[in-house]
Amino acid sequence: MAFYGSLKNENVYPRGCQAPGQAGWIAHRLLRLRAMLNGQITSKRRPNSLIIGSWNIRHFDGGRKRLNESYHYIAEIIDHFDVCAVQEVKDLEAVEKLMRLLGPNWDYFVNDSSGAGRGNHERMAFLYNRNTVRFRNLIGELVLPKDALPNDEQLARTPFFAAFQAGWFKFTLCSAHIVFKEEDGRPLREDEIGAVASILADRAKDTGDVQIFLGDMNIDKREDASFKALTDNGFEVPDIGPTSLGGTKHYDQIAFAGPSHVSHMLGHGVIKWQEAVFREDEVADYEQVAMDIRETPNTGKPYSNWAREYSSWRTHEMSDHLPVWIELEVDYSNNYLAGITTLD
């Protein structure tokens, strides 16, 4: 359970529930968010299962710093997963701040910065609940073999992988942020996805572990060639639904490959956080907040059309992507024992 004792610190969170930033305002929206997550995940979750999440958290936190209240909402969502891949990490202090809210049972790994250019100085992170998930001491960045991509290029943002175990279930997560802007003569989205998926599919066959390829793949539609690059490599890809706030783009995916008897999916979904926090009917409440945190030289200047700009503004508090998750079975002990009973 996420830690919210700091909400009683009146130096940071004024008392009251009538305006953004107040302790009661935040608590009320956390309860609203929890009710959504309980209905979608907690109340339906099977015993002995694993919840894997993925979330591109927009510029986390490389531009204007997020409001303190936004961190509470992000932590509440991630706390409903057992392990979560996060893309677009820009500031390690932001991750540490989030981890303090998640509590001491959570741990994390972050990879190196991807550098300038198409890498956009981004990192990726794995956050995991040590009460349910154990790290298996294998972690790294995926380097492609020669000729895997046109002109022998590597992915602009090197995929990040780590091996875990939950119950009987051994799995490796590989998080990726696939190129968005395609250029002539450079690898396309389908090229990047296909190259990674091919390597992971081979690893699934060689190791017997389930390989889970997840992240922001910038896929527009499930009919696109970039999506087909997953299925052509033998990955099972649940229809999670659109993950853009506009509800039209299937940017984020969680796909898995491996032995069918240990990769039984129980559920999946996308979390529409905008129905619980930073809602459309709260546009007027956040107008003064947005003006107060504007940076020089725009300090205090009004937005030209706040009602229109609010939808974009709130993506810098939460994200322009919706979090996605799948639930997998992790206890295969009955099948294991049943197999032993048939031995001569």
Side-chain angles (χ1 to χ4, degrees), residues 18-46:
Q18 302 304 312
Q22 294 178 344
W25 174 279
I26 299 170
H28 177 71
R29 279 143 190 82
L30 283 170
L31 289 170
R32 199 159 63 191
L33 187 57
R34 280 187 173 185
M36 169 192 289
L37 294 166
N38 179 65
Q40 185 174 348
I41 300 176
T42 311
S43 65
K44 298 178 181 179
R45 181 172 185 172
R46 306 273 190 90

Side-chain angles (χ1 to χ4, degrees), residues 189-234:
R189 297 173 199 169
E190 63 194 82
D191 296 326
E192 291 195 349
I193 293 172
V196 176
S198 176
I199 291 174
L200 297 182
D202 288 342
R203 289 185 178 181
K205 295 174 184 176
D206 293 341
T207 66
D209 282 5
V210 175
Q211 300 286 325
I212 301 175
F213 185 15
L214 73 176
D216 177 7
M217 302 192 192
N218 278 310
I219 294 173
D220 287 338
K221 301 177 182 179
R222 285 173 62 89
E223 297 78 22
D224 289 351
S226 48
F227 183 85
K228 193 170 182 292
L230 290 170
T231 55
D232 282 352
N233 280 285

Side-chain angles (χ1 to χ4, degrees), residues 304-324:
S304 59
N305 186 332
W306 172 244
R308 181 184 62 204
E309 295 182 42
Y310 171 70
S311 290
S312 175
W313 178 86
R314 65 182 176 173
T315 67
H316 293 277
E317 292 300 327
M318 297 295 287
S319 184
D320 51 349
H321 291 247
L322 301 177
V324 295

Side-chain angles (χ1 to χ4, degrees), residues 52-257:
I52 299 172
S54 180
W55 196 2
N56 178 326
I57 304 179
R58 186 175 191 180
H59 301 311
F60 189 57
D61 217 9
R64 171 180 59 78
K65 299 300 181 183
R66 283 167 166 77
L67 299 170
N68 285 329
E69 72 173 272
S70 302
Y71 278 88
H72 288 284
Y73 306 145
I74 292 170
E76 183 62 43
I77 291 171
I78 291 177
D79 190 53
H80 281 73
F81 307 144
D82 296 307
V83 58
C84 183
V86 177
Q87 300 86 41
E88 225 169 283
V89 173
K90 303 295 286 279
D91 180 22
L92 295 181
E93 289 185 5
V95 179
E96 293 167 359
K97 184 174 182 178
L98 175 60
M99 295 304 296
R100 288 194 291 272
L101 289 173
L102 286 170
N105 56 306
W106 281 80
D107 209 340
Y108 72 102
F109 302 108
V110 181
N111 70 344
D112 197 9
S113 170
S114 55
R118 295 201 304 169
N120 196 29
H121 295 290
E122 294 178 19
R123 302 174 187 263
M124 287 179 271
F126 291 120
L127 285 58
Y128 67 102
N129 187 336
R130 290 182 296 179
N131 291 341
T132 54
V133 175
R134 177 172 64 86
F135 172 54
R136 290 196 291 133
N137 305 105
L138 173 64
I139 192 168
E141 295 184 316
L142 189 67
V143 179
L144 301 181
K146 184 178 177 62
D147 298 328
L149 289 178
N151 303 318
D152 291 338
E153 290 198 43
Q154 295 290 322
L155 272 70
R157 291 167 284 227
T158 308
F160 188 35
F161 67 85
F164 299 94
Q165 183 167 344
W168 289 60
F169 184 61
K170 295 180 179 181
F171 63 101
T172 298
L173 299 182
C174 184
S175 177
H177 188 180
I178 299 302
V179 63
F180 177 74
K181 185 178 180 181
E182 298 181 320
E183 304 174 14
D184 291 341
R186 306 292 298 275
L188 305 175
R189 297 173 199 169
E190 63 194 82
D191 296 326
E192 291 195 349
I193 293 172
V196 176
S198 176
I199 291 174
L200 297 182
D202 288 342
R203 289 185 178 181
K205 295 174 184 176
D206 293 341
T207 66
D209 282 5
V210 175
Q211 300 286 325
I212 301 175
F213 185 15
L214 73 176
D216 177 7
M217 302 192 192
N218 278 310
I219 294 173
D220 287 338
K221 301 177 182 179
R222 285 173 62 89
E223 297 78 22
D224 289 351
S226 48
F227 183 85
K228 193 170 182 292
L230 290 170
T231 55
D232 282 352
N233 280 285
F235 277 82
E236 183 174 343
V237 194
D239 189 356
I240 292 173
T243 64
S244 62
L245 265 65
T248 59
K249 307 294 186 181
H250 295 250
Y251 288 145
D252 306 86
Q253 301 289 334
I254 303 180
F256 55 95

